Amino acid sequence: MYQEIHEAPAAVERLREGGRRALQRLAARWRRDPPGLVVFVARGSSDNAALYGRYLWEVHLGVPVSLAAPSVVTLYGARPRLQGAWVVALSQSGRSPDVVTFVRAARARGAFTVAVTNQERSPLARAAHEVVQMHAGPERSVAATKTYVAQLTALSLLAAEIRGDRRLLRAHGDLPGQLRAALGVEEAAGDLAQRWARAEACVVTGRGYNYATAREAALKLKEAAYVAAEAFSSADFLHGPVALVGERFPVLVVAPPGPTKRHLVGVVRKLGRRGADVAVLSSDPVLLRRVPGSLRVPDGVPEELTPHVYAVPAQLLAYHLGLLRGTDPDRPRGLRKVTRVL
Ligand code: F6R
């Protein structure tokens, strides 16, 4: 896991080069015949990447996006009408059976299907019309890390290609360097892990594009460190779950620059009044001063690409917390790299 976290910058570089032709082909198809609906289908970390894709594509492409509930097809046998829709499956292995089954059913019902996968010769790649190969290199650790960042990158690159958004396309060139800089938070992540080493539960919260980051951080904390980490959109969090939080309850707030920041600063203030043990993931100097012991993320990343960079400190925190709590982050108990659920 540790090595693969450090391979994210190289994975992004390879995807920018190796994935360009497929992404441009897809973008040209979209512009010729824009779909009225996109459905993402994925599980686990890949589903968190899909959640990011939902926010990004709805904001940037103006298309309604749904996240598939595979059991609708795999257990209930429903056949949703998907004529003219794009169904985009995200799967590192290309072998999650429910994802593959959903794509086959969607294709049979007239959807245009795309597989974003690290395995070009997988059942998923064979099932879809088009394949975007992630080029992340083999991922051996059970916990997905570099491939999560690569999935986010495939989704943001494709949105930028479709819109012909030169600013966003250029910004991807800075990502490998920003990811390398984010790896520099390791010491702070280790310190925060020490502070939270005895916590059995925590909350991770964020909003907008980084709701996905909150979910992914919580998943990594559960898998690699066995902490009952729960993720909430920070809007939803205030609608009830915040009642969980009392004195010294650990909360990680993902607070990048952009339209969500003001709200998140308010959340940090509220949590402070409850005596919570708050840390923020942010590049904002004022917020970082206000919440000592937080994780400083490199500045200058456009908000759309902050989830890519903010994933890295979250992964490092989970890894270090796992080590301190005596788990083996590479082999979480009872898990395999491919989960066979239909
Ligand atoms: C989490 C993790 C799993 C996978 C999930 C989907 O770290 O690795 O949750 O993301 O099993 O796997 P793929 O992407 O291979 O379909």
PDB file of all heavy atoms in Angstrom, residues 42-48 90-99 116-117 124 134 139 141-145 147 151 216 219-220 223 335-339, ligand 1:
ATOM      1  N   ALA A  42     -20.101   1.008 -10.311  1.00  0.00           N
ATOM      2  CA  ALA A  42     -18.813   0.700  -9.675  1.00  0.00           C
ATOM      3  C   ALA A  42     -19.067   0.252  -8.241  1.00  0.00           C
ATOM      4  O   ALA A  42     -20.166   0.424  -7.715  1.00  0.00           O
ATOM      5  CB  ALA A  42     -17.927   1.948  -9.669  1.00  0.00           C
ATOM      6  N   ARG A  43     -18.040  -0.284  -7.609  1.00  0.00           N
ATOM      7  CA  ARG A  43     -18.125  -0.700  -6.203  1.00  0.00           C
ATOM      8  C   ARG A  43     -16.920  -0.152  -5.427  1.00  0.00           C
ATOM      9  O   ARG A  43     -15.845   0.052  -5.999  1.00  0.00           O
ATOM     10  CB  ARG A  43     -18.075  -2.221  -6.101  1.00  0.00           C
ATOM     11  CG  ARG A  43     -19.338  -2.918  -6.538  1.00  0.00           C
ATOM     12  CD  ARG A  43     -20.472  -2.615  -5.596  1.00  0.00           C
ATOM     13  NE  ARG A  43     -21.636  -3.439  -5.882  1.00  0.00           N
ATOM     14  CZ  ARG A  43     -22.832  -3.199  -5.373  1.00  0.00           C
ATOM     15  NH1 ARG A  43     -23.047  -2.179  -4.579  1.00  0.00           N
ATOM     16  NH2 ARG A  43     -23.834  -3.986  -5.666  1.00  0.00           N
ATOM     17  N   GLY A  44     -17.082  -0.015  -4.136  1.00  0.00           N
ATOM     18  CA  GLY A  44     -15.960   0.322  -3.245  1.00  0.00           C
ATOM     19  C   GLY A  44     -15.298   1.632  -3.620  1.00  0.00           C
ATOM     20  O   GLY A  44     -15.964   2.653  -3.882  1.00  0.00           O
ATOM     21  N   SER A  45     -13.973   1.611  -3.671  1.00  0.00           N
ATOM     22  CA  SER A  45     -13.227   2.822  -4.031  1.00  0.00           C
ATOM     23  C   SER A  45     -13.633   3.322  -5.407  1.00  0.00           C
ATOM     24  O   SER A  45     -13.718   4.533  -5.645  1.00  0.00           O
ATOM     25  CB  SER A  45     -11.720   2.532  -4.064  1.00  0.00           C
ATOM     26  OG  SER A  45     -11.250   2.313  -2.774  1.00  0.00           O
ATOM     27  N   SER A  46     -13.867   2.384  -6.304  1.00  0.00           N
ATOM     28  CA  SER A  46     -14.249   2.780  -7.667  1.00  0.00           C
ATOM     29  C   SER A  46     -15.576   3.537  -7.640  1.00  0.00           C
ATOM     30  O   SER A  46     -15.798   4.466  -8.420  1.00  0.00           O
ATOM     31  CB  SER A  46     -14.362   1.540  -8.560  1.00  0.00           C
ATOM     32  OG  SER A  46     -13.125   0.865  -8.610  1.00  0.00           O
ATOM     33  N   ASP A  47     -16.465   3.156  -6.713  1.00  0.00           N
ATOM     34  CA  ASP A  47     -17.746   3.848  -6.595  1.00  0.00           C
ATOM     35  C   ASP A  47     -17.540   5.254  -6.019  1.00  0.00           C
ATOM     36  O   ASP A  47     -18.277   6.188  -6.345  1.00  0.00           O
ATOM     37  CB  ASP A  47     -18.676   3.016  -5.700  1.00  0.00           C
ATOM     38  CG  ASP A  47     -20.133   3.395  -5.898  1.00  0.00           C
ATOM     39  OD1 ASP A  47     -20.507   3.821  -7.007  1.00  0.00           O
ATOM     40  OD2 ASP A  47     -20.905   3.267  -4.931  1.00  0.00           O
ATOM     41  N   ASN A  48     -16.543   5.390  -5.167  1.00  0.00           N
ATOM     42  CA  ASN A  48     -16.233   6.734  -4.660  1.00  0.00           C
ATOM     43  C   ASN A  48     -15.712   7.619  -5.800  1.00  0.00           C
ATOM     44  O   ASN A  48     -16.047   8.802  -5.871  1.00  0.00           O
ATOM     45  CB  ASN A  48     -15.239   6.655  -3.509  1.00  0.00           C
ATOM     46  CG  ASN A  48     -15.852   5.972  -2.299  1.00  0.00           C
ATOM     47  OD1 ASN A  48     -17.072   6.003  -2.120  1.00  0.00           O
ATOM     48  ND2 ASN A  48     -15.031   5.338  -1.476  1.00  0.00           N
ATOM     49  N   LEU A  90     -16.552   1.733 -13.744  1.00  0.00           N
ATOM     50  CA  LEU A  90     -15.202   1.949 -13.210  1.00  0.00           C
ATOM     51  C   LEU A  90     -14.838   0.712 -12.404  1.00  0.00           C
ATOM     52  O   LEU A  90     -15.549   0.364 -11.455  1.00  0.00           O
ATOM     53  CB  LEU A  90     -15.178   3.179 -12.296  1.00  0.00           C
ATOM     54  CG  LEU A  90     -15.560   4.497 -12.964  1.00  0.00           C
ATOM     55  CD1 LEU A  90     -16.121   5.472 -11.949  1.00  0.00           C
ATOM     56  CD2 LEU A  90     -14.351   5.109 -13.649  1.00  0.00           C
ATOM     57  N   SER A  91     -13.756   0.057 -12.779  1.00  0.00           N
ATOM     58  CA  SER A  91     -13.329  -1.115 -12.016  1.00  0.00           C
ATOM     59  C   SER A  91     -11.850  -1.352 -12.258  1.00  0.00           C
ATOM     60  O   SER A  91     -11.437  -1.563 -13.402  1.00  0.00           O
ATOM     61  CB  SER A  91     -14.140  -2.346 -12.428  1.00  0.00           C
ATOM     62  OG  SER A  91     -13.620  -3.495 -11.815  1.00  0.00           O
ATOM     63  N   GLN A  92     -11.085  -1.292 -11.193  1.00  0.00           N
ATOM     64  CA  GLN A  92      -9.648  -1.541 -11.302  1.00  0.00           C
ATOM     65  C   GLN A  92      -9.406  -2.890 -11.951  1.00  0.00           C
ATOM     66  O   GLN A  92      -8.700  -3.007 -12.944  1.00  0.00           O
ATOM     67  CB  GLN A  92      -9.040  -1.480  -9.893  1.00  0.00           C
ATOM     68  CG  GLN A  92      -7.526  -1.605  -9.802  1.00  0.00           C
ATOM     69  CD  GLN A  92      -6.985  -2.991 -10.020  1.00  0.00           C
ATOM     70  OE1 GLN A  92      -6.058  -3.178 -10.841  1.00  0.00           O
ATOM     71  NE2 GLN A  92      -7.535  -3.985  -9.365  1.00  0.00           N
ATOM     72  N   SER A  93     -10.012  -3.922 -11.388  1.00  0.00           N
ATOM     73  CA  SER A  93      -9.757  -5.296 -11.833  1.00  0.00           C
ATOM     74  C   SER A  93     -10.515  -5.639 -13.110  1.00  0.00           C
ATOM     75  O   SER A  93     -10.131  -6.553 -13.835  1.00  0.00           O
ATOM     76  CB  SER A  93     -10.190  -6.273 -10.739  1.00  0.00           C
ATOM     77  OG  SER A  93     -11.602  -6.167 -10.539  1.00  0.00           O
ATOM     78  N   GLY A  94     -11.621  -4.953 -13.339  1.00  0.00           N
ATOM     79  CA  GLY A  94     -12.508  -5.329 -14.443  1.00  0.00           C
ATOM     80  C   GLY A  94     -13.196  -6.653 -14.182  1.00  0.00           C
ATOM     81  O   GLY A  94     -13.722  -7.287 -15.102  1.00  0.00           O
ATOM     82  N   ARG A  95     -13.205  -7.083 -12.925  1.00  0.00           N
ATOM     83  CA  ARG A  95     -13.737  -8.417 -12.614  1.00  0.00           C
ATOM     84  C   ARG A  95     -14.841  -8.415 -11.568  1.00  0.00           C
ATOM     85  O   ARG A  95     -15.257  -9.488 -11.129  1.00  0.00           O
ATOM     86  CB  ARG A  95     -12.595  -9.322 -12.108  1.00  0.00           C
ATOM     87  CG  ARG A  95     -11.675  -9.720 -13.196  1.00  0.00           C
ATOM     88  CD  ARG A  95     -10.498 -10.562 -12.740  1.00  0.00           C
ATOM     89  NE  ARG A  95      -9.447 -10.437 -13.721  1.00  0.00           N
ATOM     90  CZ  ARG A  95      -9.471 -11.011 -14.913  1.00  0.00           C
ATOM     91  NH1 ARG A  95     -10.469 -11.795 -15.246  1.00  0.00           N
ATOM     92  NH2 ARG A  95      -8.501 -10.800 -15.773  1.00  0.00           N
ATOM     93  N   SER A  96     -15.277  -7.282 -11.104  1.00  0.00           N
ATOM     94  CA  SER A  96     -16.381  -7.275 -10.128  1.00  0.00           C
ATOM     95  C   SER A  96     -17.644  -7.748 -10.857  1.00  0.00           C
ATOM     96  O   SER A  96     -18.131  -7.075 -11.772  1.00  0.00           O
ATOM     97  CB  SER A  96     -16.574  -5.878  -9.552  1.00  0.00           C
ATOM     98  OG  SER A  96     -15.492  -5.565  -8.711  1.00  0.00           O
ATOM     99  N   PRO A  97     -18.181  -8.923 -10.491  1.00  0.00           N
ATOM    100  CA  PRO A  97     -19.223  -9.553 -11.319  1.00  0.00           C
ATOM    101  C   PRO A  97     -20.483  -8.705 -11.469  1.00  0.00           C
ATOM    102  O   PRO A  97     -21.095  -8.701 -12.542  1.00  0.00           O
ATOM    103  CB  PRO A  97     -19.548 -10.852 -10.571  1.00  0.00           C
ATOM    104  CG  PRO A  97     -18.450 -11.062  -9.596  1.00  0.00           C
ATOM    105  CD  PRO A  97     -17.809  -9.751  -9.321  1.00  0.00           C
ATOM    106  N   ASP A  98     -20.873  -7.986 -10.399  1.00  0.00           N
ATOM    107  CA  ASP A  98     -22.101  -7.194 -10.506  1.00  0.00           C
ATOM    108  C   ASP A  98     -21.927  -6.033 -11.485  1.00  0.00           C
ATOM    109  O   ASP A  98     -22.848  -5.677 -12.230  1.00  0.00           O
ATOM    110  CB  ASP A  98     -22.581  -6.706  -9.129  1.00  0.00           C
ATOM    111  CG  ASP A  98     -21.471  -6.212  -8.241  1.00  0.00           C
ATOM    112  OD1 ASP A  98     -20.294  -6.222  -8.664  1.00  0.00           O
ATOM    113  OD2 ASP A  98     -21.769  -5.797  -7.106  1.00  0.00           O
ATOM    114  N   VAL A  99     -20.730  -5.475 -11.505  1.00  0.00           N
ATOM    115  CA  VAL A  99     -20.456  -4.356 -12.423  1.00  0.00           C
ATOM    116  C   VAL A  99     -20.491  -4.868 -13.867  1.00  0.00           C
ATOM    117  O   VAL A  99     -21.105  -4.261 -14.754  1.00  0.00           O
ATOM    118  CB  VAL A  99     -19.095  -3.705 -12.075  1.00  0.00           C
ATOM    119  CG1 VAL A  99     -18.718  -2.643 -13.098  1.00  0.00           C
ATOM    120  CG2 VAL A  99     -19.141  -3.106 -10.667  1.00  0.00           C
ATOM    121  N   VAL A 116     -13.748   1.859 -17.659  1.00  0.00           N
ATOM    122  CA  VAL A 116     -12.501   2.492 -17.214  1.00  0.00           C
ATOM    123  C   VAL A 116     -11.852   1.473 -16.284  1.00  0.00           C
ATOM    124  O   VAL A 116     -12.352   1.215 -15.184  1.00  0.00           O
ATOM    125  CB  VAL A 116     -12.781   3.806 -16.460  1.00  0.00           C
ATOM    126  CG1 VAL A 116     -11.473   4.444 -15.996  1.00  0.00           C
ATOM    127  CG2 VAL A 116     -13.569   4.777 -17.340  1.00  0.00           C
ATOM    128  N   THR A 117     -10.779   0.860 -16.739  1.00  0.00           N
ATOM    129  CA  THR A 117     -10.225  -0.269 -15.990  1.00  0.00           C
ATOM    130  C   THR A 117      -8.703  -0.307 -16.107  1.00  0.00           C
ATOM    131  O   THR A 117      -8.126   0.212 -17.059  1.00  0.00           O
ATOM    132  CB  THR A 117     -10.838  -1.603 -16.476  1.00  0.00           C
ATOM    133  OG1 THR A 117     -10.262  -2.686 -15.742  1.00  0.00           O
ATOM    134  CG2 THR A 117     -10.629  -1.838 -17.960  1.00  0.00           C
ATOM    135  N   LEU A 124     -14.852  -7.105 -17.971  1.00  0.00           N
ATOM    136  CA  LEU A 124     -15.490  -5.795 -18.131  1.00  0.00           C
ATOM    137  C   LEU A 124     -15.071  -5.144 -19.448  1.00  0.00           C
ATOM    138  O   LEU A 124     -15.902  -4.604 -20.188  1.00  0.00           O
ATOM    139  CB  LEU A 124     -15.133  -4.874 -16.953  1.00  0.00           C
ATOM    140  CG  LEU A 124     -15.770  -3.490 -17.026  1.00  0.00           C
ATOM    141  CD1 LEU A 124     -17.293  -3.577 -16.929  1.00  0.00           C
ATOM    142  CD2 LEU A 124     -15.243  -2.577 -15.926  1.00  0.00           C
ATOM    143  N   MET A 134      -6.397   2.376 -17.613  1.00  0.00           N
ATOM    144  CA  MET A 134      -5.880   3.337 -16.636  1.00  0.00           C
ATOM    145  C   MET A 134      -4.354   3.452 -16.622  1.00  0.00           C
ATOM    146  O   MET A 134      -3.803   4.435 -16.122  1.00  0.00           O
ATOM    147  CB  MET A 134      -6.361   2.937 -15.237  1.00  0.00           C
ATOM    148  CG  MET A 134      -7.756   3.459 -14.934  1.00  0.00           C
ATOM    149  SD  MET A 134      -8.654   2.386 -13.807  1.00  0.00           S
ATOM    150  CE  MET A 134      -7.615   2.419 -12.391  1.00  0.00           C
ATOM    151  N   GLU A 139      -1.739  -3.386  -9.268  1.00  0.00           N
ATOM    152  CA  GLU A 139      -2.006  -2.957  -7.890  1.00  0.00           C
ATOM    153  C   GLU A 139      -2.159  -4.224  -7.052  1.00  0.00           C
ATOM    154  O   GLU A 139      -3.098  -4.995  -7.257  1.00  0.00           O
ATOM    155  CB  GLU A 139      -3.269  -2.109  -7.835  1.00  0.00           C
ATOM    156  CG  GLU A 139      -3.491  -1.465  -6.466  1.00  0.00           C
ATOM    157  CD  GLU A 139      -4.649  -0.478  -6.501  1.00  0.00           C
ATOM    158  OE1 GLU A 139      -5.785  -0.913  -6.785  1.00  0.00           O
ATOM    159  OE2 GLU A 139      -4.432   0.715  -6.279  1.00  0.00           O
ATOM    160  N   SER A 141      -1.733  -4.388  -3.423  1.00  0.00           N
ATOM    161  CA  SER A 141      -2.347  -4.187  -2.111  1.00  0.00           C
ATOM    162  C   SER A 141      -3.864  -4.269  -2.258  1.00  0.00           C
ATOM    163  O   SER A 141      -4.421  -3.822  -3.265  1.00  0.00           O
ATOM    164  CB  SER A 141      -1.942  -2.806  -1.595  1.00  0.00           C
ATOM    165  OG  SER A 141      -2.691  -2.509  -0.454  1.00  0.00           O
ATOM    166  N   VAL A 142      -4.511  -4.857  -1.261  1.00  0.00           N
ATOM    167  CA  VAL A 142      -5.979  -4.962  -1.322  1.00  0.00           C
ATOM    168  C   VAL A 142      -6.606  -3.566  -1.379  1.00  0.00           C
ATOM    169  O   VAL A 142      -7.535  -3.308  -2.132  1.00  0.00           O
ATOM    170  CB  VAL A 142      -6.517  -5.770  -0.111  1.00  0.00           C
ATOM    171  CG1 VAL A 142      -8.022  -5.587   0.036  1.00  0.00           C
ATOM    172  CG2 VAL A 142      -6.182  -7.250  -0.296  1.00  0.00           C
ATOM    173  N   ALA A 143      -6.083  -2.654  -0.578  1.00  0.00           N
ATOM    174  CA  ALA A 143      -6.638  -1.294  -0.557  1.00  0.00           C
ATOM    175  C   ALA A 143      -6.213  -0.555  -1.826  1.00  0.00           C
ATOM    176  O   ALA A 143      -5.024  -0.391  -2.097  1.00  0.00           O
ATOM    177  CB  ALA A 143      -6.145  -0.558   0.677  1.00  0.00           C
ATOM    178  N   ALA A 144      -7.202  -0.110  -2.577  1.00  0.00           N
ATOM    179  CA  ALA A 144      -6.905   0.632  -3.803  1.00  0.00           C
ATOM    180  C   ALA A 144      -6.395   2.028  -3.435  1.00  0.00           C
ATOM    181  O   ALA A 144      -7.013   2.709  -2.614  1.00  0.00           O
ATOM    182  CB  ALA A 144      -8.165   0.746  -4.648  1.00  0.00           C
ATOM    183  N   THR A 145      -5.297   2.447  -4.023  1.00  0.00           N
ATOM    184  CA  THR A 145      -4.777   3.800  -3.747  1.00  0.00           C
ATOM    185  C   THR A 145      -4.463   4.524  -5.061  1.00  0.00           C
ATOM    186  O   THR A 145      -5.216   5.398  -5.482  1.00  0.00           O
ATOM    187  CB  THR A 145      -3.528   3.743  -2.836  1.00  0.00           C
ATOM    188  OG1 THR A 145      -2.553   2.866  -3.418  1.00  0.00           O
ATOM    189  CG2 THR A 145      -3.881   3.294  -1.436  1.00  0.00           C
ATOM    190  N   THR A 147      -4.839   3.528  -8.029  1.00  0.00           N
ATOM    191  CA  THR A 147      -5.864   3.365  -9.072  1.00  0.00           C
ATOM    192  C   THR A 147      -7.060   4.269  -8.801  1.00  0.00           C
ATOM    193  O   THR A 147      -7.749   4.673  -9.742  1.00  0.00           O
ATOM    194  CB  THR A 147      -6.326   1.894  -9.213  1.00  0.00           C
ATOM    195  OG1 THR A 147      -6.821   1.443  -7.956  1.00  0.00           O
ATOM    196  CG2 THR A 147      -5.188   1.006  -9.690  1.00  0.00           C
ATOM    197  N   GLN A 151      -8.446   6.727 -11.544  1.00  0.00           N
ATOM    198  CA  GLN A 151      -9.864   6.787 -11.972  1.00  0.00           C
ATOM    199  C   GLN A 151     -10.370   8.223 -11.969  1.00  0.00           C
ATOM    200  O   GLN A 151     -11.042   8.671 -12.903  1.00  0.00           O
ATOM    201  CB  GLN A 151     -10.728   5.932 -11.034  1.00  0.00           C
ATOM    202  CG  GLN A 151     -10.545   4.444 -11.249  1.00  0.00           C
ATOM    203  CD  GLN A 151     -11.170   3.613 -10.131  1.00  0.00           C
ATOM    204  OE1 GLN A 151     -11.331   4.085  -9.001  1.00  0.00           O
ATOM    205  NE2 GLN A 151     -11.505   2.374 -10.434  1.00  0.00           N
ATOM    206  N   GLU A 216     -13.944   8.128   0.500  1.00  0.00           N
ATOM    207  CA  GLU A 216     -12.772   7.286   0.238  1.00  0.00           C
ATOM    208  C   GLU A 216     -11.858   7.233   1.467  1.00  0.00           C
ATOM    209  O   GLU A 216     -11.322   6.182   1.808  1.00  0.00           O
ATOM    210  CB  GLU A 216     -12.036   7.817  -1.008  1.00  0.00           C
ATOM    211  CG  GLU A 216     -10.805   7.042  -1.407  1.00  0.00           C
ATOM    212  CD  GLU A 216     -11.049   5.547  -1.694  1.00  0.00           C
ATOM    213  OE1 GLU A 216     -12.213   5.106  -1.739  1.00  0.00           O
ATOM    214  OE2 GLU A 216     -10.050   4.836  -1.827  1.00  0.00           O
ATOM    215  N   LEU A 219     -13.379   4.880   3.886  1.00  0.00           N
ATOM    216  CA  LEU A 219     -13.204   3.480   3.458  1.00  0.00           C
ATOM    217  C   LEU A 219     -11.780   3.004   3.779  1.00  0.00           C
ATOM    218  O   LEU A 219     -11.582   1.902   4.312  1.00  0.00           O
ATOM    219  CB  LEU A 219     -13.503   3.364   1.957  1.00  0.00           C
ATOM    220  CG  LEU A 219     -13.265   2.010   1.285  1.00  0.00           C
ATOM    221  CD1 LEU A 219     -14.006   0.884   2.000  1.00  0.00           C
ATOM    222  CD2 LEU A 219     -13.717   2.040  -0.176  1.00  0.00           C
ATOM    223  N   LYS A 220     -10.795   3.836   3.480  1.00  0.00           N
ATOM    224  CA  LYS A 220      -9.400   3.447   3.762  1.00  0.00           C
ATOM    225  C   LYS A 220      -9.174   3.286   5.261  1.00  0.00           C
ATOM    226  O   LYS A 220      -8.461   2.395   5.705  1.00  0.00           O
ATOM    227  CB  LYS A 220      -8.415   4.492   3.215  1.00  0.00           C
ATOM    228  CG  LYS A 220      -8.315   4.579   1.716  1.00  0.00           C
ATOM    229  CD  LYS A 220      -7.630   3.406   1.057  1.00  0.00           C
ATOM    230  CE  LYS A 220      -8.640   2.470   0.434  1.00  0.00           C
ATOM    231  NZ  LYS A 220      -8.951   2.702  -0.965  1.00  0.00           N
ATOM    232  N   GLU A 223     -10.683  -0.100   6.205  1.00  0.00           N
ATOM    233  CA  GLU A 223      -9.960  -1.264   5.672  1.00  0.00           C
ATOM    234  C   GLU A 223      -8.571  -1.405   6.268  1.00  0.00           C
ATOM    235  O   GLU A 223      -8.163  -2.498   6.642  1.00  0.00           O
ATOM    236  CB  GLU A 223      -9.720  -1.042   4.175  1.00  0.00           C
ATOM    237  CG  GLU A 223     -10.775  -1.502   3.249  1.00  0.00           C
ATOM    238  CD  GLU A 223     -10.319  -1.254   1.830  1.00  0.00           C
ATOM    239  OE1 GLU A 223      -9.781  -0.165   1.529  1.00  0.00           O
ATOM    240  OE2 GLU A 223     -10.507  -2.138   1.012  1.00  0.00           O
ATOM    241  N   LEU A 335     -10.403  -9.944   3.425  1.00  0.00           N
ATOM    242  CA  LEU A 335     -10.663  -9.290   2.133  1.00  0.00           C
ATOM    243  C   LEU A 335      -9.754  -9.859   1.051  1.00  0.00           C
ATOM    244  O   LEU A 335      -8.643 -10.304   1.322  1.00  0.00           O
ATOM    245  CB  LEU A 335     -10.403  -7.781   2.219  1.00  0.00           C
ATOM    246  CG  LEU A 335     -11.326  -6.953   3.102  1.00  0.00           C
ATOM    247  CD1 LEU A 335     -10.976  -5.479   2.972  1.00  0.00           C
ATOM    248  CD2 LEU A 335     -12.786  -7.159   2.688  1.00  0.00           C
ATOM    249  N   ARG A 336     -10.253  -9.819  -0.173  1.00  0.00           N
ATOM    250  CA  ARG A 336      -9.434 -10.169  -1.336  1.00  0.00           C
ATOM    251  C   ARG A 336      -9.449  -9.011  -2.310  1.00  0.00           C
ATOM    252  O   ARG A 336     -10.298  -8.140  -2.208  1.00  0.00           O
ATOM    253  CB  ARG A 336     -10.018 -11.368  -2.042  1.00  0.00           C
ATOM    254  CG  ARG A 336     -10.008 -12.563  -1.135  1.00  0.00           C
ATOM    255  CD  ARG A 336     -10.129 -13.808  -1.926  1.00  0.00           C
ATOM    256  NE  ARG A 336      -9.942 -14.913  -0.988  1.00  0.00           N
ATOM    257  CZ  ARG A 336     -10.125 -16.147  -1.298  1.00  0.00           C
ATOM    258  NH1 ARG A 336     -10.454 -16.452  -2.522  1.00  0.00           N
ATOM    259  NH2 ARG A 336      -9.945 -17.084  -0.412  1.00  0.00           N
ATOM    260  N   LYS A 337      -8.539  -9.078  -3.256  1.00  0.00           N
ATOM    261  CA  LYS A 337      -8.453  -7.969  -4.214  1.00  0.00           C
ATOM    262  C   LYS A 337      -9.722  -7.879  -5.066  1.00  0.00           C
ATOM    263  O   LYS A 337     -10.152  -6.790  -5.423  1.00  0.00           O
ATOM    264  CB  LYS A 337      -7.203  -8.145  -5.084  1.00  0.00           C
ATOM    265  CG  LYS A 337      -6.853  -6.936  -5.934  1.00  0.00           C
ATOM    266  CD  LYS A 337      -6.484  -5.713  -5.104  1.00  0.00           C
ATOM    267  CE  LYS A 337      -6.196  -4.486  -5.945  1.00  0.00           C
ATOM    268  NZ  LYS A 337      -6.493  -3.235  -5.207  1.00  0.00           N
ATOM    269  N   VAL A 338     -10.298  -9.013  -5.402  1.00  0.00           N
ATOM    270  CA  VAL A 338     -11.554  -8.967  -6.168  1.00  0.00           C
ATOM    271  C   VAL A 338     -12.674  -9.518  -5.295  1.00  0.00           C
ATOM    272  O   VAL A 338     -12.566 -10.615  -4.754  1.00  0.00           O
ATOM    273  CB  VAL A 338     -11.447  -9.794  -7.465  1.00  0.00           C
ATOM    274  CG1 VAL A 338     -12.783  -9.778  -8.226  1.00  0.00           C
ATOM    275  CG2 VAL A 338     -10.329  -9.246  -8.360  1.00  0.00           C
ATOM    276  N   THR A 339     -13.723  -8.730  -5.114  1.00  0.00           N
ATOM    277  CA  THR A 339     -14.858  -9.158  -4.297  1.00  0.00           C
ATOM    278  C   THR A 339     -15.953  -9.675  -5.222  1.00  0.00           C
ATOM    279  O   THR A 339     -16.409  -8.936  -6.110  1.00  0.00           O
ATOM    280  CB  THR A 339     -15.380  -7.963  -3.466  1.00  0.00           C
ATOM    281  OG1 THR A 339     -14.277  -7.470  -2.695  1.00  0.00           O
ATOM    282  CG2 THR A 339     -16.507  -8.383  -2.533  1.00  0.00           C
TER     283      THR A 339
HETATM  284  C1  F6R B   1     -11.082  -0.497  -1.481  1.00  0.00           C
HETATM  285  C2  F6R B   1     -11.088  -1.529  -2.493  1.00  0.00           C
HETATM  286  C3  F6R B   1     -12.375  -2.147  -2.894  1.00  0.00           C
HETATM  287  C4  F6R B   1     -12.513  -2.084  -4.418  1.00  0.00           C
HETATM  288  C5  F6R B   1     -13.802  -2.742  -4.884  1.00  0.00           C
HETATM  289  C6  F6R B   1     -13.976  -2.626  -6.378  1.00  0.00           C
HETATM  290  O1  F6R B   1      -9.795  -0.103  -1.189  1.00  0.00           O
HETATM  291  O2  F6R B   1     -10.070  -1.839  -3.049  1.00  0.00           O
HETATM  292  O3  F6R B   1     -13.454  -1.515  -2.276  1.00  0.00           O
HETATM  293  O4  F6R B   1     -12.470  -0.745  -4.801  1.00  0.00           O
HETATM  294  O5  F6R B   1     -13.802  -4.087  -4.521  1.00  0.00           O
HETATM  295  O6  F6R B   1     -12.975  -3.284  -7.070  1.00  0.00           O
HETATM  296  P1  F6R B   1     -12.766  -3.072  -8.619  1.00  0.00           P
HETATM  297  O7  F6R B   1     -12.397  -1.634  -8.799  1.00  0.00           O
HETATM  298  O8  F6R B   1     -11.670  -4.000  -9.004  1.00  0.00           O
HETATM  299  O9  F6R B   1     -14.083  -3.392  -9.279  1.00  0.00           O
END
